[in-house]
Amino acid sequence: MSTVTKPLQLEHLDSRIKSVWQRSQMLHLASGLLRLGRWVGLMFIVAAGIDWLIDIPAVGRGAVLIALLSISLYAAWKCGWRNLRGFDATRTALRLESHHGGLESLLVSAVQLRDKQTVAGTSESMREKTLFQANEAAEKLRADEAVPFGVLSRPVAIVLLLCGSIGVFGAVNGPFLTAGLSRIFAPWLAVQYPTYTQLDVAYGDLVVKQGTSVQIKVRVSGVVPDTAKLLLRTGEGQPREIVLNIKDDVCEYTIATTSRDFTYQIEAGDARSAVNTVRVISGPQIENVRVELEFPTYLQRKTETVEALTLTVPERTSLKWEITLDRPVSEASFIRDGEQPVKLQLSKDGRRVVFTAMTSDSRGYSFSWIDKEHGFEFESSRYYLQVDADQSPQVELTSPSSNLIAMLGRPLELAVRAHDDHSIEAAKIAYRVNRRPDKFVDIPSAVANGSGAQVIDWDYRTAMSDLAIGDTVSFRVEVSDRYPSPDGPH
């Protein structure tokens, strides 16, 4: 059986245990802070020195800052902050006894017995005596001896030495220290270290149209040397070094034609400019093209679709272009040689144009685009539209091959060779006796197109039965298209 015992008031024991715990927490916290300050100071000095020598870019300085903070915080945690604990009277009592010695677990026993119930078979008087003795022993103990702050003297001296060194340097060259602090602890800022020579880049980062010229101009002040060095880099290759003369405190360099992105940097005296980027914007590229060809009616050909911009088409063919670009444009124009540009209707996304035109004659053509993002105007490659006009049929009398003197009543063979770019519709013979008007005789069987020499089934003796000796007869063969153009038959 157990009885509830009223806890005893142990002012000295509670006070000493509380003080020791508070001092130990302060010691761990201060130890971590001092270690943090030491590592931050040392790594800042090293990082600033390297940055000043090689001009670490913003991304690199960001990585340096992350490494600096990570290492410093880890050192602070390892050397102090990991020992921070919530209040635990038993653990603190053990620390007091381990420091002073000779207490033979008296303080720990008192802490454990004070708030516990009395167990049957134990002596209440012995419990009270133990608590009384622990309280009396605690009165003589000193928290500052159990947790001495003297161990911090060396870390404090190191941190003060670092801070003093940085402070002295700042007093001597404050702008340099300010620039170093800004570049390391705010790497996104474009801050340069102070130099005897100052550089003022006129244009800095640029966005230019492909094919245009770029002028790099830098004003040099302070201690002005005779020459400056221009470092040009395209892609990932090594920079190309160009020595520039400084005249009237200015150095200039002009790139006549730009074809791709590049970066540049100027070095003069002890000064070095930031790395400037020049973006070169090329013209929109045609990603997909479809041209629908609607032929004139007389050709009796079905509509065709081709994927080309240089074309050969029959005369009076109607063309419908559907063009898709690789990026949006704000304006598009169709330009035929010798004609004014025609503005084209764009789709909502600015990447597609659809338009129609009728062919009239052979001409070159191109497109004009205005880039939507930057407003640059570009002209596409030049294409050619070859128009094949409807040709007149070609006919050649192959027999007789020349003028001849014939005997009256003797047969005469007529043969022709005919060709047309489409087909032959009909043929007829035109003849004239002496100086009389021409007469025409239709040939019943059509002359085939492109079939070589063909004999014509026609007997002059039937058509000219009244011929007499001495008459002169001239004749010719005429053919016409099967599908005449709107201009009429040939």
Side-chain angles (χ1 to χ4, degrees):
M1 183 177 180
S2 63
T3 60
V4 178
T5 304
K6 182 180 179 181
L8 296 178
Q9 297 298 322
L10 306 174
E11 295 86 354
H12 300 303
L13 179 60
D14 291 339
S15 174
R16 295 298 182 273
I17 289 177
K18 195 71 173 179
S19 296
V20 169
W21 175 78
Q22 290 174 343
R23 286 181 64 87
S24 65
Q25 299 307 298
M26 291 176 62
L27 178 64
H28 298 321
L29 180 62
S31 179
L33 287 173
L34 290 171
R35 186 56 63 96
L36 176 68
R38 182 167 72 178
W39 276 94
V40 167
L42 286 172
M43 294 190 67
F44 164 71
I45 293 172
V46 173
I50 296 174
D51 182 41
W52 177 70
L53 289 173
I54 65 173
D55 189 19
I56 303 174
V59 174
R61 298 198 305 272
V64 168
L65 177 61
I66 292 173
L68 181 151
L69 294 177
S70 299
I71 294 173
S72 300
L73 289 171
Y74 174 75
W77 173 83
K78 185 177 180 181
C79 296
W81 292 351
R82 68 174 178 176
N83 297 316
L84 294 173
R85 298 283 188 276
F87 179 70
D88 187 326
T90 302
R91 184 183 295 113
T92 307
L94 280 171
R95 178 165 184 170
L96 267 170
E97 291 185 351
S98 63
H99 176 74
H100 289 282
L103 295 176
E104 298 179 352
S105 301
L106 178 62
L107 302 183
V108 175
S109 299
V111 169
Q112 294 175 341
L113 291 173
R114 180 179 59 177
D115 297 326
K116 290 188 176 181
Q117 296 176 346
T118 303
V119 181
T122 61
S123 172
E124 176 61 21
S125 60
M126 290 297 294
R127 172 178 175 273
E128 290 181 357
K129 184 176 180 180
T130 300
L131 295 176
F132 178 79
Q133 289 178 347
N135 191 50
E136 289 294 322
E139 185 180 6
K140 301 176 182 178
L141 301 178
R142 295 182 59 182
D144 57 344
E145 293 179 354
V147 185
F149 282 176
V151 294
L152 299 177
S153 58
R154 185 169 180 271
V156 168
I158 294 174
V159 171
L160 289 176
L161 179 61
L162 282 172
C163 292
S165 302
I166 294 174
V168 170
F169 184 83
V172 174
N173 196 340
F176 189 98
L177 178 61
T178 301
L181 290 170
S182 300
R183 287 176 62 86
I184 299 301
F185 292 103
W188 55 89
L189 298 178
V191 179
Q192 298 298 320
Y193 290 104
T195 55
Y196 293 107
T197 301
Q198 288 81 47
L199 302 177
D200 181 17
V201 180
Y203 306 114
D205 294 341
L206 293 172
V207 178
V208 299
K209 176 183 173 181
Q210 188 179 45
T212 58
S213 64
V214 171
Q215 184 185 45
I216 298 172
K217 184 176 181 180
V218 180
R219 182 168 295 278
V220 186
S221 58
V223 178
V224 180
D226 295 330
T227 61
K229 186 187 296 182
L230 171 64
L231 304 178
L232 283 176
R233 183 196 300 269
T234 56
E236 299 298 327
Q238 291 295 320
R240 181 163 61 99
E241 296 185 359
I242 303 171
V243 177
L244 306 177
N245 292 321
I246 299 176
K247 184 178 181 181
D248 297 331
D249 297 343
V250 173
C251 62
E252 296 178 308
Y253 185 77
T254 300
I255 300 174
T257 303
T258 53
S259 59
R260 57 174 175 166
D261 298 350
F262 66 91
T263 62
Y264 70 92
Q265 189 176 30
I266 299 291
E267 294 181 356
D270 63 343
R272 181 174 51 224
S273 73
V275 177
N276 297 282
T277 301
V278 177
R279 285 187 58 205
V280 179
I281 306 301
S282 59
Q285 300 298 311
I286 294 176
E287 203 170 61
N288 186 46
V289 60
R290 294 178 71 252
V291 184
E292 188 178 280
L293 308 178
E294 185 177 339
F295 301 102
T297 306
Y298 72 89
L299 293 182
Q300 296 186 359
R301 288 175 61 179
K302 293 182 179 180
T303 299
E304 296 180 7
T305 299
V306 296
E307 298 180 354
L309 289 170
T310 294
L311 301 167
T312 299
V313 297
E315 187 178 13
R316 298 184 182 277
T317 299
S318 176
L319 293 89
K320 179 181 180 182
W321 283 269
E322 295 184 16
I323 296 174
T324 303
L325 304 175
D326 63 347
R327 65 175 185 270
V329 296
S330 59
E331 289 185 23
S333 299
F334 176 62
I335 308 170
R336 271 202 284 211
D337 293 352
E339 297 183 4
Q340 292 296 318
V342 177
K343 284 194 174 182
L344 305 178
Q345 186 70 34
L346 289 165
S347 60
K348 289 184 178 180
D349 62 1
R351 293 185 56 204
R352 187 169 174 266
V353 291
V354 178
F355 67 100
T356 59
M358 179 71 72
T359 59
S360 56
D361 54 5
S362 298
R363 292 194 187 189
Y365 71 95
S366 61
F367 298 97
S368 174
W369 320 109
I370 295 182
D371 180 72
K372 189 171 185 179
E373 182 179 359
H374 303 286
F376 296 136
E377 184 175 359
F378 298 92
E379 188 166 335
S380 71
S381 302
R382 189 171 177 272
Y383 310 101
Y384 198 76
L385 185 61
Q386 176 70 42
V387 177
D388 284 345
D390 186 27
Q391 303 296 320
S392 299
Q394 305 296 317
V395 59
E396 177 188 0
L397 189 63
T398 60
S399 179
S401 58
S402 62
N403 295 332
L404 55 82
I405 298 174
M407 297 180 64
L408 188 66
R410 294 284 299 270
L412 178 67
E413 181 181 88
L414 293 180
V416 297
R417 183 186 296 116
H419 174 75
D420 186 66
D421 52 352
H422 300 302
S423 59
I424 301 297
E425 168 65 18
K428 60 184 178 181
I429 296 174
Y431 66 90
R432 175 188 298 178
V433 179
N434 297 325
R435 295 182 178 275
R436 301 170 193 169
D438 288 350
K439 292 185 179 181
F440 297 90
V441 177
D442 291 332
I443 299 173
S445 300
V447 175
N449 181 28
S451 297
Q454 303 168 66
V455 176
I456 296 177
D457 184 15
W458 180 70
D459 191 343
Y460 77 95
R461 294 173 296 184
T462 302
M464 297 176 287
S465 58
D466 57 345
L467 277 179
I469 294 174
D471 288 341
T472 300
V473 179
S474 61
F475 51 87
R476 67 182 184 275
V477 179
E478 295 182 357
V479 296
S480 61
D481 291 352
R482 181 178 296 275
Y483 305 115
S485 72
D487 293 334
H490 298 286

